[in-house]
Amino acid sequence: MSEASKPEDVITPATETKPETKANDFDSLPAWAQEQIRTLRSESAEKRTSAKTNQEQLEALQRQVAQALGLEDTPTVESLQERLQTSQKQAQDQAQEFAVYKASLKHGVDAESLLDSMKFRKRLEAGEDLESLVLEHKPKEVQEEKPEKKSSKSGADFNGSTSKPHVFTPEEIKAMSPEEFSKHREAILKQQLGK
């Protein structure tokens, strides 16, 4: 034989060892581990899908709110919270103003002058009692008026022939029937507004 053909000289191909694929790694795991991994993958997929759905619903809701409010841009949560706070502050201010008018009517004080007073507003915002603040601004002649001057009948006759309009006291207003109040409503409101 020739030297080239000797069996020692023949190169035999080495058996290639292929690295195991990931699928083979998974398959080589015990059944309980494989089941756990499948469960976790399924839960993760559900959470991703749920999060995407929730985000889409939030964006749709923001568009609806923007459209209902007549806004061009989609509002953010922060801008909506700011608008809500502004609306709540306005509602509180209106409720406070109404309370001032009510207390003023009760004590015969000009509500407009109270509301125009920055000092009054600051003290009210500081938490001072509304009734006592209104009483402080009650005119001296009204404060000194005696309670005995109340009308003894259930409805008083306010049709005097004097040229000066009648000034209604809170007691007179309370004693009026609904019909009498309706009849004198305009005069009472003008009196309260100082016109």
Side-chain angles (χ1 to χ4, degrees):
M1 277 179 105
S2 72
E3 283 188 34
S5 60
K6 288 185 183 176
E8 297 88 41
D9 292 339
V10 177
I11 301 175
T12 58
T15 55
E16 294 180 20
T17 56
K18 296 180 181 178
E20 292 184 26
T21 63
K22 290 184 179 181
N24 289 343
D25 288 342
F26 181 78
D27 291 336
S28 68
L29 293 173
W32 66 267
Q34 290 179 17
E35 184 60 33
Q36 186 69 24
I37 292 171
R38 283 189 195 102
T39 302
L40 291 173
R41 286 180 179 168
S42 174
E43 288 174 4
S44 178
E46 287 174 10
K47 289 187 190 244
R48 284 191 307 269
T49 303
S50 176
K52 183 178 179 184
T53 302
N54 289 342
Q55 183 64 31
E56 290 170 353
Q57 289 175 346
L58 175 63
E59 290 170 0
L61 182 61
Q62 285 177 332
R63 284 191 298 274
Q64 289 175 349
V65 168
Q67 185 179 12
L69 295 175
L71 303 174
E72 295 177 15
D73 298 331
T74 303
T76 63
V77 172
E78 293 80 17
S79 69
L80 290 175
Q81 285 177 335
E82 184 179 318
R83 287 174 188 233
L84 176 63
Q85 289 172 347
T86 302
S87 296
Q88 288 174 335
K89 175 72 172 130
Q90 288 174 343
Q92 287 173 341
D93 290 346
Q94 289 174 344
Q96 187 178 57
E97 191 171 312
F98 177 73
V100 169
Y101 274 101
K102 191 174 176 183
S104 297
L105 178 63
K106 179 180 175 184
H107 297 293
V109 178
D110 181 20
E112 290 296 320
S113 66
L114 289 178
L115 293 171
D116 289 341
S117 167
M118 289 304 293
K119 181 180 177 184
F120 175 81
R121 284 187 176 266
K122 285 180 183 179
R123 289 178 65 190
L124 192 58
E125 288 173 5
E128 290 191 40
D129 181 53
L130 174 64
E131 293 287 327
S132 61
L133 285 174
V134 169
L135 284 173
E136 284 179 20
H137 291 85
K138 193 172 187 177
K140 297 249 188 267
E141 60 273 2
V142 176
Q143 287 179 359
E144 293 169 358
E145 189 176 276
K146 294 191 172 130
E148 297 90 47
K149 291 187 176 181
K150 284 187 190 180
S151 174
S152 60
K153 45 186 178 172
S154 64
D157 182 17
F158 301 111
N159 297 329
S161 60
T162 62
S163 60
K164 189 175 181 183
H166 180 74
V167 177
F168 297 98
T169 65
E171 291 80 16
E172 290 174 328
I173 295 171
K174 286 180 187 176
M176 287 183 187
S177 68
E179 294 81 23
E180 289 174 327
F181 182 79
S182 294
K183 182 178 176 183
H184 300 289
R185 182 176 183 269
E186 191 172 317
I188 294 169
L189 291 175
K190 283 183 182 179
Q191 174 184 327
Q192 286 301 310
L193 296 175
K195 294 180 180 178

